[in-house]
Amino acid sequence: MGADAWTWSYEGYDPGAERLREALCTLGNGRFATRGAASETPAGPAHYPGTYAAGCYNRLTSTVAGRTVENEDLVNLPNWLPLRYRILPADTPDPGPWLSPDHPQLTGHRRTLDLRRGTLTLRSVYEDGAGRRLTVTERRLVHMAEPQLAAQRLTFTAEGWSGAVEVVAGLDGDVRNSGVDRYRELADTHLTGWYTGIEDDGTFWLHCRTRTSGIRIALAARTRTAPRPRAGHARLTPRRASRTLTVPLRPGATATVDKTVALYTSRDRGVTDPLAAALGTVRDAPAVPRLLASHHRGWDRLWQQARLDVPEEAGRILRLHVFHVLQALSPHTARLDAGVPARGLHGEAYRGHVFWDELFVLPFLNLHFPEVSRSLLNYRHRRLPAAREAAREAGLAGAMYPWQSGSDGREETQRLHLNPRSGRWLPDHSRLQHHVGSAVAYNVWQYWQASGDTKFLHTKGAEMLLEIARFWAAKSDWDPALGRYRIRGVVGPDEYHDGYPGADRPGLDDNAYTNVTAAWVLSRALDLCRTLPEARRQQLFERLALAPDERQRWDDIAHRLHVPYHHGLISQFAGYGQLAELDWAGYRERYGDIRRLDRILEAEGDTVNRYQASKQADVLMLGYLFSPAELSGVFGQLGYRLDDDIWRATVDHYLHRTSHGSTLSALVHAWVLARVRRADAWTYCEEALTGDVADVQGGTTAEGIHLGAMAGTLDFVQRGLTGLETRDRALWLDPAPLPQLSKFGVRIRYRRHRDIDLRIRADRVTIAVPDSEHAAVQVRLRGQPFTVAPGTVRRLGLPGG
Ligand code: IFM
């Protein structure tokens, strides 16, 4: 792997690593993205050239384990990459073989992602036994300024022969969603109604639609060559369109083939005829060199807004994370109706669904691209009616957001999931992770605090927050024996435990994370009710039929929800302390990798429900969401003591009982340990950083990056290590740099101030606020107040540092 600070490269061709590299070399612009697959070959065991447009889903029915199941997937769209080529030597009538990285004539291969400019370059060298050498370089982009466009430039160089290259540029609609092996028993053909064509000017195109959601999709491609082609013809089949070009080539000279593609769907705003739009856009598109220049400028603007200066390897990986987060969620996303797909637009794992992972993503975006955060919250707001309906069907009030969300906000979580280790299809109760609602509420609040967008908070934000609070109130039952409210029958962030051993109903009672965040949501909802302007308050209360006694009940619950403890530490859920201890050392010795302990135990005929064993941070998530002061405040409000000793004991307990079967886990542990056990934080930080680049979860990155963990690592630097909070109209800072990450800088946008530079050194903080007409920025450094006027820089020693 190359070591330049702004490039990410892979030397040599390795079919076994190809799918992982494809995911990590994906190019996208927040509207659509395409995996970094070779353009010479269709999908096969080594290659999976997927293209996905944000929010473009389709639903199919399948039969698995004798049951009919419905699944909605982010659709793999027609492949626009195909570019095949072969040598036509002048001295023989026989064409050479079609070349690709899989061909034995390949003698060199390098794939380079240029993060600064947003391009992928694939360089392949082929040599035949007769001394002919062909070097092919493909530079590829998915345009960051013209989000319907993508382009490829192939450059050919001949050595030891002359003649021509024959190039076939294609659009391939014969694709399926077959990128995830575990889903192979599920229906995967989402496209239908294909037709293709070619225009007089040589532009060829493909049109199709999704089977049940009826989204129309059109791609149009234009080719240009230099020198001019000697010959050319088109080939159309119902599902494929291509153009073959023969381009002369002399030794030492180069020939180029440019392919520019426009992609539209009927979901695009202002588009009634995607094909007409694609044809018009590709016809008017500038030549590839100019497209490259405007694409670079598009990326330049983004890098200005998301600047993160972290030295060395950690900085290089974090830059890759910024790159992928912005390819999945960019300012273009702000114009769409789309949520945060857990695996980016980079693969088909989790079917492109939207989980609670936005909890790890929006806090990063809030401080750079608040308009993107707002649009992602709008995605949730548009689905508020569906969340209300789900609550109603469950016999509850308020809004019950789905654990997995797709096109219309209904619950998309599968009823059955496959344990690949045992081959058994098992009931899936993960839909009981109702804490996703608290994540939406938390993001509403965080977004408002960082952006100052009171209009949003008082309208859509308030509706969501109040309805989620209402759901928690409806879900809380008074237990007279305990003298507390309880929330029963849920699954917490640790997805291992989905019920009590031997119980006849799924779900657990009083998951501490769920209850504490529910109390927090209820309190913020009440704060909002108190501070809304009178007219708006009346209007909202009337619309939601929110009576004073309901608010009183919220207040009561927010003070009296149960949080279970055992042995003086916070229990993950009621009864957790009675579960058996697992023989961690024995399982590690026997299996090596025990990240998916649930699958191992199930395959052994046992169940993880019997053990004090978590897949990922659960109780410790509380230390991720809340600063120590805020967390002990919420516990205090609930009538519990949470001091440093209890928190430390709690952290230690779960640290030794977590298998980290999710990429989110290492991130949360790094964040929490940075405050509690600094010496141990770096191990988790490294694991979080390398989660995708080293494919820590053993093969999952090939199916899509882990967007929550990637964005979370950025936020770890931005908020975790700086202790940055945006509350009470001030920037609160409480830096906790790690010895291995003690010097860094971030550029943030805070309310009206753009480009605030924040630099941390082990013993001091520097804050630079660019000149503007806005008021000075209020800063509280470890509680001490400072102001930083626009156009000034303040260097502050760390109090108590
Ligand atoms: O939301 C996560 C969950 O916390 C762990 N399993 C994967 C989901 C999607 O990323």
Side-chain angles (χ1 to χ4, degrees):
M1 188 171 308
D4 185 309
W6 283 89
T7 59
W8 197 260
S9 53
Y10 296 99
E11 194 65 55
Y13 175 64
D14 174 359
E18 192 60 9
R19 285 188 175 216
L20 170 65
R21 294 176 182 183
E22 289 173 356
L24 290 170
C25 290
T26 294
L27 293 181
N29 56 22
R31 179 177 172 272
F32 77 100
T34 298
R35 289 164 60 86
S39 48
E40 297 90 344
T41 35
H47 306 278
Y48 196 72
T51 289
Y52 312 94
C56 187
Y57 292 99
N58 185 63
R59 193 179 299 283
L60 293 177
T61 303
S62 322
T63 306
V64 286
R67 280 174 62 173
T68 303
V69 294
E70 250 192 26
N71 279 302
E72 190 178 65
D73 286 78
L74 188 68
V75 177
N76 182 17
L77 301 182
N79 180 16
W80 59 272
L81 294 178
L83 279 171
R84 298 176 74 208
Y85 44 83
R86 60 180 175 178
I87 293 176
L88 303 181
D91 55 358
T92 144
D94 301 328
W98 291 107
L99 296 170
S100 80
D102 296 294
H103 197 276
Q105 287 185 10
L106 184 85
T107 56
H109 190 71
R110 170 179 254 258
R111 185 188 323 231
T112 309
L113 201 52
D114 180 336
L115 305 177
R116 195 194 296 272
R117 298 192 179 82
T119 54
L120 175 64
T121 303
L122 301 112
R123 184 174 183 274
S124 304
V125 182
Y126 303 93
E127 289 172 64
D128 67 8
R132 297 187 192 96
R133 188 180 160 104
L134 177 70
T135 303
V136 187
T137 305
E138 178 193 341
R139 180 166 308 171
R140 188 187 294 176
L141 64 91
V142 171
H143 210 283
M144 197 41 106
E146 306 288 341
Q148 294 80 16
L149 285 174
Q152 293 155 289
R153 163 165 282 199
L154 278 186
T155 307
F156 297 95
T157 315
E159 283 168 66
W161 62 279
S162 64
V165 278
E166 188 179 25
V167 180
V168 184
L171 296 171
D172 181 4
D174 197 9
V175 300
R176 294 177 299 137
N177 273 55
S178 55
V180 177
D181 206 36
R182 286 185 305 290
Y183 305 160
R184 66 183 172 277
E185 290 182 49
L186 303 172
D188 61 5
T189 309
H190 291 278
L191 299 178
T192 188
W194 303 262
Y195 53 98
T196 54
I198 184 154
E199 304 296 291
D200 291 344
D201 64 359
T203 303
F204 53 98
W205 52 263
L206 167 74
H207 187 280
C208 58
R209 66 185 153 78
T210 55
R211 269 175 190 266
T212 59
S213 54
I215 302 169
R216 286 165 291 132
I217 300 146
L219 292 96
R222 179 188 82 189
T223 51
R224 298 271 187 276
T225 73
R228 290 168 68 83
R230 240 174 30 202
H233 65 272
R235 185 172 146 74
L236 302 176
T237 68
R239 299 183 189 190
R240 292 195 176 102
S242 65
R243 210 163 168 228
T244 303
L245 302 154
T246 304
V247 188
L249 193 55
R250 283 183 290 106
T254 56
T256 58
V257 176
D258 290 348
K259 178 178 169 194
T260 306
V261 176
L263 185 159
Y264 278 84
T265 79
S266 51
R267 292 187 82 247
D268 288 320
R269 286 192 189 190
V271 171
T272 46
D273 182 346
L275 179 56
L279 286 168
T281 298
V282 88
R283 189 187 52 231
D284 297 342
V288 168
R290 277 183 53 207
L291 276 179
L292 270 166
S294 53
H295 173 63
H296 295 168
R297 287 195 295 277
W299 267 107
D300 247 11
R301 283 190 289 276
L302 295 188
W303 285 116
Q304 288 302 321
Q305 284 175 260
R307 188 168 161 176
L308 187 72
D309 297 324
V310 175
E312 301 175 7
E313 185 61 4
R316 209 168 76 86
I317 296 177
L318 288 166
R319 211 164 281 129
L320 180 79
H321 289 184
V322 174
F323 183 71
H324 283 304
V325 170
L326 295 182
Q327 295 200 111
L329 303 166
S330 79
H332 299 299
T333 318
R335 286 188 278 277
L336 307 173
D337 176 32
V340 176
R343 305 301 282 274
L345 299 172
H346 295 58
E348 290 162 15
Y350 301 136
R351 305 188 176 86
H353 292 171
V354 176
F355 297 62
W356 74 324
D357 302 48
E358 62 207 49
L359 187 58
F360 301 85
V361 177
L362 264 66
F364 168 72
L365 293 175
N366 289 342
L367 293 165
H368 304 276
F369 304 96
E371 74 283 9
V372 180
S373 293
R374 189 178 52 234
S375 89
L376 297 167
L377 290 170
N378 279 332
Y379 164 87
R380 291 299 194 175
H381 183 258
R382 285 185 206 103
R383 287 150 186 83
L384 182 58
R388 282 192 183 116
E389 180 56 22
R392 206 185 56 77
E393 276 176 18
L396 298 164
M400 182 169 92
Y401 274 96
W403 173 239
Q404 295 188 28
S405 181
S407 63
D408 60 11
R410 77 178 80 165
E411 181 58 82
E412 300 292 353
T413 305
Q414 64 280 14
R415 294 274 173 186
L416 294 175
H417 67 241
L418 177 70
N419 178 359
R421 207 175 251 281
S422 67
R424 279 190 282 270
W425 285 90
L426 305 160
D428 190 321
H429 301 301
S430 56
R431 66 184 54 222
L432 297 177
Q433 290 191 67
H434 300 309
H435 62 81
V436 61
S438 296
V440 174
Y442 182 88
N443 275 339
V444 165
W445 201 256
Q446 286 288 334
Y447 163 72
W448 165 66
Q449 290 196 316
S451 67
D453 185 351
T454 305
K455 184 170 165 219
F456 181 86
L457 180 72
H458 287 177
T459 53
K460 297 173 180 174
E463 285 174 20
M464 288 191 278
L465 187 54
L466 299 192
E467 289 288 48
I468 294 164
R470 188 174 239 172
F471 168 75
W472 283 131
K475 190 85 186 127
S476 305
D477 293 327
W478 177 250
D479 181 340
L482 206 60
R484 287 208 165 252
Y485 289 94
R486 310 187 62 178
I487 296 178
R488 300 174 192 260
V490 299
V491 169
D494 151 46
E495 302 179 309
Y496 277 175
H497 295 93
D498 66 352
Y500 290 100
D504 52 10
R505 66 159 173 101
L508 303 152
D509 301 335
D510 302 313
N511 169 252
Y513 173 80
T514 303
N515 287 15
V516 172
T517 53
W520 181 89
V521 170
L522 288 160
S523 302
R524 295 299 75 76
L526 289 165
D527 286 350
L528 184 62
C529 290
R530 279 189 286 271
T531 52
L532 276 172
E534 184 55 28
R536 177 69 195 136
R537 180 166 45 222
Q538 287 313 326
Q539 203 186 28
L540 202 59
F541 287 2
E542 253 170 55
R543 185 127 68 85
L544 303 182
L546 192 64
D549 57 343
E550 191 173 353
R551 297 198 307 275
Q552 245 158 35
R553 188 174 130 85
W554 291 7
D555 191 52
D556 199 34
I557 298 171
H559 286 85
R560 296 162 84 183
L561 258 169
H562 179 48
V563 179
Y565 281 71
H566 69 282
H567 305 319
L569 51 95
I570 306 166
S571 299
Q572 193 170 301
F573 48 83
Y576 171 91
Q578 277 108 60
L579 298 182
E581 286 285 6
L582 184 91
D583 173 14
W584 289 88
Y587 270 89
R588 285 209 172 93
E589 200 177 306
R590 210 160 341 138
Y591 290 96
D593 182 353
I594 57 164
R595 281 171 201 281
R596 292 310 303 261
L597 191 59
D598 56 334
R599 291 179 177 164
I600 292 176
L601 288 166
E602 192 277 331
E604 286 182 345
D606 200 348
T607 165
V608 74
N609 275 329
R610 293 207 309 119
Y611 300 98
Q612 293 186 22
S614 307
K615 176 182 174 196
Q616 63 192 81
D618 191 302
V619 177
L620 301 198
M621 272 300 299
L622 294 171
Y624 185 81
L625 294 194
F626 305 117
S627 67
E630 190 168 16
L631 189 56
S632 63
V634 187
F635 272 76
Q637 169 185 312
L638 287 166
Y640 295 104
R641 208 162 65 92
L642 179 63
D643 57 23
D644 286 355
D645 290 341
I646 297 175
W647 183 243
R648 256 174 229 283
T650 302
V651 171
D652 280 350
H653 179 87
Y654 293 101
L655 191 60
H656 297 116
R657 290 167 181 79
T658 303
S659 74
H660 306 293
S662 156
T663 51
L664 298 172
S665 194
L667 166 71
V668 176
H669 280 80
W671 188 294
V672 168
L673 292 182
R675 304 262 150 199
V676 175
R677 279 178 38 171
R678 221 140 70 95
D680 296 330
W682 183 246
T683 309
Y684 294 93
C685 181
E686 270 190 312
E687 177 165 331
L689 284 171
T690 54
D692 273 325
V693 297
D695 194 14
V696 166
Q697 299 288 334
T700 59
T701 300
E703 302 167 347
I705 55 149
H706 298 83
L707 195 60
M710 278 199 173
T713 57
L714 305 173
D715 201 33
F716 173 68
V717 176
Q718 174 179 277
R719 291 191 313 137
L721 296 182
T722 57
L724 173 64
E725 291 177 87
T726 51
R727 61 182 162 89
D728 308 330
R729 297 181 164 268
L731 287 180
W732 295 69
L733 293 167
D734 181 9
L738 298 179
Q740 301 84 346
L741 235 173
S742 60
K743 288 185 196 163
F744 56 89
V746 293
R747 172 171 291 175
I748 60 167
R749 178 165 167 189
Y750 171 61
R751 297 192 164 217
R752 287 161 185 249
H753 294 275
R754 287 170 179 263
D755 301 340
I756 298 179
D757 278 319
L758 198 62
R759 305 216 151 256
I760 306 283
R761 296 288 174 272
D763 56 349
R764 92 192 112 89
V765 176
T766 307
I767 306 170
V769 178
D771 202 10
S772 74
E773 75 280 15
H774 304 309
V777 177
Q778 305 296 320
V779 178
R780 302 273 180 284
L781 181 59
R782 293 206 172 137
Q784 288 194 16
F786 298 92
T787 55
V788 189
T792 65
V793 179
R794 288 205 68 168
R795 289 180 188 81
L796 306 164
L798 285 184

